[in-house]
Amino acid sequence: NVHEMFFYIEDNIKLSNRLKANVGLHLGYYSIDKISIQPRLSARYLIDKNWSIKLSYAEMKQNIHLLSNSSVGFPSDLWVPAIDSVPSQSSHQIAGSINTTLQDGKYELSLEGYYKTMSNLIAYKAGYSNLESTESWENAIETGGQGKSYGLELFLQKKIGQTTGWIGYTLSWTNRQFDNINFGEWYPYKYDRRHDISIVCAHKINDKWDISFTWAYGTGNAITFPQAIYLGHPYSNWGSDLSIDLVESYGNRNSTRMNPYHRLDIGLTHHKKKVKYERLISFGAYNLYNRKNPFFAYLSYDEYGQREARQVSLFPIIPSISYRYKF
């Protein structure tokens, strides 16, 4: 049993007509750990009426850990608490961006970069799966891990007009390091996503109809998958011929990528305004082109007895209709 308490104070400071800052301090109490002091700082500087730059720095501490299984088979994410032998994780992040508005505020454009370091991370020990063992979780993990996340995001938004929406693209890296995993070398985290694209568009056809769509794309998760399979060495024991079954060679941690994730959602809405209320009928579809996005992968045998990788997918195309009243 543990107790948590948090206290936060912040202040907006106007240093000049062009420079503003927000300064904050987060104090956290966790009963099995010491009090943590986590400063936060963000600042914005106006270059002119259309251009600005922003900088921020934050220290954070988290008293729960996400324990993910990135091997073959059914995926599982488990939240576990920080305890005496598994201390809270902490991070330091710095970010900066340059922002501008175009055509009298019709468009907004920004480019942002960030760099984040993490400490006291945890991960499953090599060969461990929480679905196949009754081992207590704190005895099946590696502790003291390090992490790094960094990347760039480009964002363009149209805010005015019959057609509005935005496009966002992120190029990022997320890596982890443990002394007893992957020979102590850095490796990609399960949720390392190299490319992430989102496109959102809404169009007002007339006073009664509007249509919208969203398209999302993301690099597939990193998983630990067998890279080769070879026969075990036969041997003789007291006159009996015995042999070892097939041996799987997995290679480096999280060295395989699942198929990328992408889908298209669409919606069409009819408005009818009355004196005291508005009626809306919406028609939509999730995953319009029925993309079979990967949920997890596993090894199986085909009809010829050969080993092959297979993928399990969820959520095919899902049509929807809604009827609403707004008062």
Side-chain angles (χ1 to χ4, degrees), residues 216-218 258-264 286-287 289-296 311-316:
Y217 174 92
M258 297 185 73
N259 291 330
Y261 176 97
H262 56 85
R263 75 171 201 274
L264 174 66
Y286 173 92
N287 193 11
Y289 50 79
N290 199 32
R291 162 72 176 177
K292 290 180 171 56
N293 286 301
F295 181 55
F296 69 92
Q311 172 184 296
V312 175
S313 302
L314 299 178
F315 305 120

Side-chain angles (χ1 to χ4, degrees), residues 252-265:
N252 293 334
R253 174 70 68 101
N254 290 351
S255 58
T256 301
R257 289 283 179 175
M258 297 185 73
N259 291 330
Y261 176 97
H262 56 85
R263 75 171 201 274
L264 174 66
D265 304 336

Side-chain angles (χ1 to χ4, degrees), residues 220-234:
N221 288 346
I223 61 173
T224 305
F225 212 77
Q227 306 299 304
I229 298 176
Y230 57 90
L231 293 173
H233 181 69

Side-chain angles (χ1 to χ4, degrees), residues 64-310:
I64 55 175
H65 296 268
L66 178 61
L67 193 54
S68 297
N69 176 19
S70 60
S71 61
V72 295
F74 192 84
S76 62
D77 287 341
L78 179 67
W79 288 100
V80 296
I83 57 178
D84 289 332
S85 59
V86 186
S88 303
Q89 58 182 305
S90 59
S91 69
H92 303 259
Q93 177 171 303
I94 186 170
S97 68
I98 183 166
N99 315 269
T100 186
T101 57
L102 306 170
Q103 297 186 13
D104 297 323
K106 187 176 182 179
Y107 295 92
E108 178 182 329
L109 177 66
S110 66
L111 177 65
E112 181 172 355
Y114 69 94
Y115 187 86
K116 181 179 182 179
T117 60
M118 294 158 279
S119 59
N120 288 333
L121 303 178
I122 67 172
Y124 282 119
K125 293 180 180 178
Y128 177 84
S129 170
N130 67 320
L131 297 179
E132 299 175 356
S133 175
T134 57
E135 184 82 19
S136 179
W137 68 267
E138 59 265 33
N139 297 326
I141 61 170
E142 299 288 350
T143 59
Q146 304 177 70
K148 291 180 182 179
S149 294
Y150 50 93
L152 290 170
E153 180 181 275
L154 180 65
F155 181 80
L156 175 63
Q157 182 178 18
K158 186 176 185 291
K159 306 172 72 174
I160 301 173
Q162 267 191 298
T163 303
T164 58
W166 51 267
I167 299 174
Y169 169 69
T170 303
L171 175 67
S172 62
W173 289 261
T174 300
N175 299 312
R176 299 289 169 91
Q177 188 274 329
F178 291 82
D179 291 341
N180 297 322
I181 296 178
N182 203 47
F183 304 103
E185 298 179 356
W186 288 86
Y187 63 89
Y189 183 48
K190 174 182 178 180
Y191 296 114
D192 172 57
R193 178 168 285 185
R194 190 71 66 249
H195 305 285
D196 188 291
I197 305 172
S198 297
I199 301 176
V200 177
C201 182
H203 178 70
K204 184 177 180 181
I205 302 172
N206 52 42
D207 291 337
K208 293 184 177 181
W209 291 93
D210 59 62
I211 189 171
S212 64
F213 72 85
T214 301
W215 186 75
Y217 174 92
T219 301
N221 288 346
I223 61 173
T224 305
F225 212 77
Q227 306 299 304
I229 298 176
Y230 57 90
L231 293 173
H233 181 69
Y235 62 94
S236 178
N237 183 19
W238 295 97
S240 299
D241 292 330
L242 302 174
S243 64
I244 303 174
D245 291 335
L246 293 174
V247 178
E248 297 174 343
S249 175
Y250 280 81
N252 293 334
R253 174 70 68 101
N254 290 351
S255 58
T256 301
R257 289 283 179 175
M258 297 185 73
N259 291 330
Y261 176 97
H262 56 85
R263 75 171 201 274
L264 174 66
D265 304 336
I266 191 169
L268 181 67
T269 302
H270 180 266
H271 305 258
K272 189 172 184 179
K273 292 186 178 181
K274 299 290 186 177
V275 177
K276 296 183 178 180
Y277 65 89
E278 180 182 6
R279 188 206 66 191
L280 301 95
I281 302 177
S282 299
F283 307 90
Y286 173 92
N287 193 11
L288 182 64
Y289 50 79
N290 199 32
R291 162 72 176 177
K292 290 180 171 56
N293 286 301
F295 181 55
F296 69 92
Y298 66 98
L299 287 171
S300 184
Y301 290 93
D302 63 14
E303 56 183 318
Y304 303 105
Q306 300 296 318
R307 295 272 275 179
E308 66 176 3
R310 294 184 178 179

